[in-house]
Amino acid sequence: MIPTPYLLYLGHSDDPLGIKTSRGLAHFVPEHCVGEFRHDDCPLTLGIERLTIEEARARGANTLVLGIANPGGSMGQALVEDALVAIALGMHVAAGLHHRLRDVPALVEAARAAGVTLFDVRDAPADLPVGSGRKRAGRRLLTVGTDCSVGKMYTSIALQRAMQAAGLAADFRATGQTGILIAGRGIAVDAVVADFISGAVEVLSPARSDDGWDVIEGQGSLFHPSFAGVSTGLLHGAQPDALVLCHEAGRPHMRGLPHFAVPELAECLEANLRTARLTNPQVQAVGVCINTSRLGEAEALAFCADAGQRFSLPCTDPVRFGVAPIIEEIARCFAPSPLATTVSG
């Protein structure tokens, strides 16, 4: 486990989507976050106290979380220099970038000298199997999206917490760096060799005999040319009984690809259902979640109402309006699973 409390790193970031790891931690586990660190040229904030690294350490921060991401997951010199300051003060450093902390000699040497640990959250387990597609007990819900960074992790955690509040057995299964830092465990599927992605998801979400739910965090999009492979592996390995489609209202194009349009909701939902049917022919859509952060309150309500009417499914913004209608739809669609008693764990 990564020692808490955390100091959340924004650095010089100017991309609101690029700070989603820090933002997710501040939103879901604020009790573990001492504050945020950002340079004067950073226009972004998490809405928590801004601290220097020295101030955060004096407040008890144990780990600097490099909660930023950029295309390719590289680590710039400024970030390395800030991490070295934290290490010299006795802080651990955690990151989920594709560029591993352990591959930066200056960080490795400084951590060794200070007696602290570098946590590369994106490391995948060794010896993962290939997927089998064999049916296993329990229920699984997978969040899918029209694009990257549209709210799949937020939706997954909101659904899992609402299920538990409603008395259902439910576990959040993290598949990305932010979710892993929040949950304390998981598998970063975009770090898994392609042949083993579906098998990794089978390992992440094993059979369960309590008729409970695994809520599996989705990644990427079937319509994103860069990341559709990860999305496909998740759909096959999850064997989802239920899908929730996530979308950001007003997004102008696919993330990082201005030459690719965002797909229509109906086209995207049908493509995900069709792909999921390979390993679970009975998969059902149970809701649509919209990130309405670009919209005013009245416009957001109207957008969700229109989408809900078009699909005859509950549609909501999980941050603004909660997920109660989707929990009700899950209860309506799914009786206790016969596999809970007929398939062993």
Side-chain angles (χ1 to χ4, degrees):
M1 296 291 287
I2 299 172
T4 57
Y6 301 142
L7 173 62
L8 304 179
Y9 185 85
L10 303 184
H12 297 279
S13 299
D14 60 4
D15 176 10
L17 292 179
I19 65 167
K20 66 178 185 178
T21 293
S22 286
R23 192 180 299 284
L25 290 166
H27 181 85
F28 285 109
V29 286
E31 68 277 12
H32 294 328
C33 303
V34 168
E36 68 182 32
F37 172 78
R38 54 187 167 89
H39 290 283
D40 289 340
D41 63 348
C42 174
L44 308 173
T45 180
L46 306 171
I48 60 178
E49 188 173 1
R50 182 185 180 186
L51 300 171
T52 66
I53 298 174
E54 292 81 3
E55 288 170 340
R57 182 59 174 156
R59 300 273 190 95
N62 282 317
T63 302
L64 176 67
V65 177
L66 303 176
I68 61 173
N70 51 28
S74 60
M75 196 180 305
Q77 185 59 35
L79 184 149
V80 172
E81 291 172 359
D82 291 333
L84 287 171
V85 172
I87 290 170
L89 292 169
M91 295 175 65
H92 309 282
V93 179
L97 299 168
H98 286 293
H99 188 183
R100 303 298 200 265
L101 296 168
R102 65 170 180 269
D103 292 332
V104 182
L107 294 179
V108 173
E109 176 56 29
R112 184 200 62 76
V116 301
T117 303
L118 303 177
F119 293 95
D120 283 308
V121 178
R122 233 186 192 110
D123 283 347
D127 302 322
L128 288 169
V130 296
S132 71
R134 185 175 295 110
K135 189 66 177 172
R136 55 198 192 273
R139 296 290 196 190
R140 286 161 194 88
L141 183 150
L142 176 66
T143 51
V144 297
T146 53
D147 193 8
C148 309
S149 304
V150 292
K152 294 183 288 292
M153 186 206 70
Y154 272 68
T155 296
S156 298
I157 297 176
L159 287 168
Q160 181 260 341
R161 291 182 175 183
M163 285 176 167
Q164 287 191 334
L168 298 173
D171 293 287
F172 169 60
R173 304 301 185 186
T175 62
Q177 57 167 319
T178 311
I180 292 170
L181 283 162
I182 292 169
R185 61 187 183 277
I187 297 176
V189 294
D190 65 357
V192 175
V193 174
D195 280 357
F196 301 94
I197 291 174
S198 61
V201 183
E202 292 180 0
V203 169
L204 179 68
S205 174
R208 56 188 301 163
S209 58
D210 61 353
D211 202 43
W213 284 85
D214 280 358
V215 182
I216 302 170
E217 175 192 7
Q219 296 292 330
S221 168
L222 287 181
F223 289 81
H224 198 295
S226 306
F227 310 117
V230 172
S231 306
T232 302
L234 269 159
L235 281 159
H236 292 162
Q239 293 181 10
D241 299 279
L243 292 183
V244 172
L245 177 65
C246 303
H247 173 68
E248 181 185 11
R251 180 165 291 197
H253 53 74
M254 300 298 277
R255 187 181 180 196
L257 301 177
H259 51 292
F260 264 85
V262 177
E264 292 293 329
L265 287 173
E267 180 186 17
C268 187
L269 182 57
E270 177 51 37
N272 277 278
L273 287 167
R274 184 169 60 247
T275 303
R277 289 184 188 117
L278 177 71
T279 54
N280 189 350
Q282 283 74 50
V283 62
Q284 299 180 54
V286 295
V288 179
C289 282
I290 307 295
N291 175 348
T292 64
S293 58
R294 296 174 187 260
L295 308 180
E297 186 86 0
E299 197 177 4
L301 286 167
F303 192 104
C304 291
D306 176 69
Q309 185 174 31
R310 281 192 289 134
F311 293 105
S312 298
L313 288 171
C315 179
T316 183
D317 181 326
V319 176
R320 264 182 164 167
F321 309 131
V323 294
I326 297 178
I327 303 303
E328 293 172 4
E329 180 72 2
I330 290 168
R332 186 186 72 80
C333 291
F334 295 94
S337 170
L339 282 173
T341 56
T342 61
V343 178
S344 65

